[in-house]
Amino acid sequence: MFDVSKGDLVGLVIGPGGAGGAGGAGATAAVATGTATASVTLDEVATMEAEHGPRWVVWSQATTGALVAAGIRVARAWDLVAVHRLLYGGWSSDPGRIWARLNGLSTANLPQVRPPDLFNQVDPAAAGNDPIDDDGYVRAEWAAGAWAESPERAAAWARLAWRTAQLQQGWLDASSDPARMTATARSESAAELLCAELAHDGLPLDRERAEAIIESFVGRRPRSDADAAVLRAERDELVLRHAPPDSRFDLRSPGQVKSLLRRIGIEVTDTRAWRLESLRDEHPLVEALLAWRKAERVATTYGYAWLDEYVGDDPDTGAGRLRGEWSGSDGAAGRMTASAGLHNLPGDMRGAVVADDGWVFVRADLGQIEPRVLAAVSGDVALARASADDDMYTPVARQLGVDRATAKVAVLGAMYGQTTGHGAQALRGLQQNYPVAIEYLEAASRTAQVGTDLRTYGGRLVRMGTANANDVSERDLRSHAAARGRYGRNAMVQGAAAEFFKLWAVTVRARVAPLGARIVLCLHDELLVHTPLESAEATARLVDECLQEAAHRWAPRPVAGAPPVRFLTDLSVIGCWADAKD
DNA sequence: ATCGTAGGCGCC
DNA sequence: AAAGGGCGCCTACGAT
């Protein structure tokens, strides 16, 4: 059907109705290259994947999600949103904005879909068969869904995706390091595939265990709204009985908690747990309040409502699955994000994350990823040498003539912008012994402070925005500049670490699939792989091999005289996430 | 009534 | 002198 080879770009769109019969009414899936287009069924997409292994150009995770839902897991992708975020920073974008940026068109007044009203009837014929309007912009109606109204339009939409990918590749080629940025674009695109699969598969979670854990914190499941109110009041009473009689304070209002504390003779600027920690012995109410807070967190965020909303079944086995939405590169530095509490499950709840019968988890996290990444991206020879040690802080401490704890605080402080306390003194030692790494951070901080954008090692644009100088005091301006400095400094390390992690993750995704294993959780520097018991050892070996492969591909050219930076994992095979030792 | 912000806390 | 970054999610609260 198509003259394509492995890795060639092929535009792919899938309409809301999925793929009907090829060319027939309702066939809204289409593929396109620069020379051919076709309406296709999802079966035909699967065949093309198996026979040609192209790199599928998709507008967003929506297409990938439709594929996964249809049971198709492709190897390669070019995700236009993911590459857009790499090139231009920021968050999600629609086709209109992506196209405009690539073509040098202003994005200040992007065409909008006008809601149909008495005077503005949408005329389906008006949109024609060209997704690009006379002014060069993408027709907003197309982006809003009109592209799926006919096979011809779907084909044109797939063709536009292909053309957009070509434009993006052109911009990557025009960068200072085309090979590296292209590698990042491909890795980030694969991460979006992984995200679609994570969202579909879900994290194995034992409902009964989860219920038991919740119950241990907040008591039994309420039978009604009224019952819930009673139980809530009972939990509040455990704190309020320590309060002055006839007083009325709302524990959920930080301001009122502050007033309450003042009434019992405790004056604080805020009521955060770490601040109250040292005041535990001052008054029994403090202890009760801290326990209440912990329970309240479970009750509101990880309680029965959370369970009911986000935990469903595996379609095959009926086992519990916690599902959320996944994004491959949200936020400043391009980390993965997840909803439904997947990225911030309380430690106590991990006891409910249990592998299916006959399956286990291979859990692996990257050891000291940020200082190792700093060594790699900065090209600091001395720091790269230190990375040879299982514990980087040991050689650093020896070099600086301080204890390990001080060395660790100093290194972390340097990366995060902290310059006070014990770290400050050791910072000077870092400057002397690891000048390249420290200067890398300082340069990022200086650039960020004046509001200039940065790019991570992998090429992601970190936008610094602009300070609103008119309504802040001189003092605030300075603190804003300092904050921007910390932000930029941190984004360079955290961002590069995120890129490296994703390269590792997508490599694992590809390698363990033949074993029947699947990644079920990505947690910034940690992978949880669900694998059949008999494949556990092989999976574990692959996870480690993939790290070495990723490290080799990610930083192939160490500075002359420097050893390659060493990366390592802490790896365990477990039946329950809580069994991980740490 | 709806919205955005702030305080707070979970994880890395 | 002092300064930690990121995210999601909850509640209260003030502004609109």
Side-chain angles (χ1 to χ4, degrees):
Chain A
M1 178 199 316
F2 266 66
D3 183 22
V4 291
S5 312
K6 186 174 169 179
D8 283 358
L9 294 174
V10 175
L12 169 67
V13 298
I14 301 173
T28 53
V31 293
T33 64
T35 55
T37 62
S39 297
V40 291
T41 64
L42 290 186
D43 282 346
E44 289 170 326
V45 172
T47 302
M48 286 183 71
E49 168 71 10
E51 293 182 357
H52 304 294
R55 184 173 297 280
W56 299 100
V57 180
V58 296
W59 280 112
S60 71
Q61 211 187 109
T63 305
T64 323
L67 280 178
V68 174
I72 302 171
R73 305 201 174 204
V74 302
R76 298 170 191 78
W78 188 277
D79 187 296
L80 296 166
V81 171
V83 179
H84 177 85
R85 281 189 284 211
L86 174 65
L87 279 167
Y88 303 111
W91 284 258
S92 67
S93 279
D94 55 296
R97 180 176 299 272
I98 294 171
W99 176 260
R101 286 300 295 263
L102 290 165
N103 287 279
L105 302 167
S106 166
T107 53
N109 294 301
L110 286 169
Q112 304 276 335
V113 177
R114 283 174 300 174
D117 57 31
L118 227 52
F119 310 99
N120 168 38
Q121 300 282 343
V122 169
D123 178 2
N129 273 332
D130 189 348
I132 304 300
D133 210 341
D134 294 337
D135 55 12
Y137 284 91
V138 172
R139 292 184 200 268
E141 290 79 7
W142 277 65
W147 67 266
E149 284 170 4
S150 74
E152 292 73 25
R153 285 197 189 161
W157 198 237
R159 170 69 61 82
L160 186 65
W162 183 89
R163 286 171 63 194
T164 305
Q166 302 295 320
L167 288 173
Q168 287 184 333
Q169 182 67 69
W171 283 102
L172 297 174
D173 288 342
S175 74
S176 60
D177 196 335
R180 185 185 297 166
M181 281 197 78
T182 300
T184 307
R186 292 175 176 174
S187 173
E188 297 287 309
S189 294
E192 297 293 341
L193 295 176
L194 174 55
C195 284
E197 295 172 4
L198 286 164
H200 179 270
D201 294 341
L203 175 69
L205 190 105
D206 184 303
R207 270 190 226 80
E208 284 70 35
R209 286 206 202 187
E211 291 255 358
I213 292 166
I214 294 169
E215 181 163 5
S216 73
F217 279 94
V218 299
R220 62 171 172 80
R221 186 186 271 267
R223 301 189 185 90
S224 63
D225 286 354
D227 189 32
V230 170
L231 294 177
R232 203 167 91 138
E234 283 174 8
R235 282 194 289 110
D236 293 2
E237 180 55 26
L238 295 178
V239 180
L240 294 175
R241 65 182 176 159
H242 298 291
D246 75 24
S247 63
R248 291 184 60 84
F249 293 99
D250 182 352
L251 296 175
R252 291 162 189 82
S253 166
Q256 292 193 37
V257 170
K258 210 158 101 172
S259 304
L260 169 57
L261 289 171
R262 190 178 302 120
R263 280 284 295 277
I264 61 171
I266 294 176
E267 194 76 34
V268 282
T269 53
D270 62 67
T271 69
R272 288 186 169 87
W274 64 266
R275 197 182 292 283
L276 299 180
E277 200 64 44
S278 59
L279 302 169
R280 267 182 192 276
D281 301 330
E282 297 281 313
H283 192 287
L285 187 145
V286 177
E287 176 86 45
L289 176 63
L290 288 168
W292 177 91
R293 282 257 175 86
K294 206 168 162 71
E296 182 71 3
R297 169 69 33 184
V298 172
T300 58
T301 308
Y302 307 103
Y304 299 109
W306 167 77
L307 212 55
D308 296 343
E309 184 167 0
Y310 299 111
V311 179
D313 292 339
D314 181 88
D316 296 328
T317 66
R321 292 289 188 267
L322 172 61
R323 292 190 177 86
E325 294 168 9
W326 286 81
S327 165
S329 67
D330 254 346
R335 274 190 176 190
M336 294 176 83
T337 57
S339 66
L342 281 158
H343 270 176
N344 40 343
L345 273 188
D348 294 308
M349 191 55 70
R350 296 184 178 199
V353 178
V354 180
D356 291 353
D357 283 342
W359 291 61
V360 289
F361 293 125
V362 171
R363 189 210 65 93
D365 71 88
L366 301 174
Q368 302 175 339
I369 184 58
E370 292 188 336
R372 290 172 197 276
V373 160
L374 173 62
V377 301
S378 69
D380 190 295
V381 175
L383 205 54
R385 286 208 185 95
S387 78
D389 205 298
D390 279 4
D391 172 30
M392 277 187 75
Y393 300 122
T394 299
V396 171
R398 197 185 313 127
Q399 194 76 25
L400 268 54
V402 298
D403 60 31
R404 182 185 177 279
T406 303
K408 180 177 176 178
V409 168
V411 171
L412 292 176
M415 288 189 296
Y416 300 156
Q418 187 184 27
T419 57
T420 53
H422 281 90
Q425 196 136 10
L427 183 61
R428 279 190 285 280
L430 286 179
Q431 274 164 343
Q432 283 166 15
N433 290 282
Y434 309 101
V436 178
I438 298 303
E439 172 53 24
Y440 181 88
L441 295 167
E442 293 294 329
S445 181
R446 287 193 301 269
T447 303
Q449 280 195 32
V450 296
T452 303
D453 294 343
L454 293 161
R455 275 195 192 275
T456 62
Y457 178 76
R460 177 181 306 284
L461 188 72
V462 178
R463 284 220 296 251
M464 296 309 302
T466 52
N468 187 350
N470 294 326
D471 58 354
V472 289
S473 69
E474 181 64 24
R475 180 190 148 87
D476 282 347
L477 266 181
R478 272 208 305 279
S479 77
H480 279 200
R484 282 206 302 262
R486 288 192 297 274
Y487 177 91
R489 173 195 296 260
N490 183 256
M492 294 296 275
V493 177
Q494 194 184 95
E499 287 152 13
F500 177 65
F501 172 80
K502 279 181 267 186
L503 178 57
W504 178 43
V506 301
T507 308
V508 169
R509 168 187 179 264
R511 293 284 187 280
V512 304
L515 299 175
R518 284 176 180 176
I519 297 175
V520 289
L521 188 72
C522 294
L523 199 47
H524 306 312
D525 68 348
E526 179 174 1
L527 281 179
L528 207 56
V529 186
H530 196 218
T531 188
L533 184 57
E534 62 271 20
S535 301
E537 252 185 73
T539 301
R541 199 162 45 242
L542 278 176
V543 166
D544 192 59
E545 284 174 15
C546 287
L547 177 64
Q548 305 316 321
E549 180 181 337
H552 183 72
R553 283 166 54 189
W554 188 60
R557 294 182 300 277
V559 174
V565 172
R566 179 153 169 265
F567 292 94
L568 47 88
T569 61
D570 177 42
L571 192 146
S572 46
V573 179
I574 49 182
C576 171
W577 196 15
D579 296 341
K581 54 164 177 30
D582 52 4

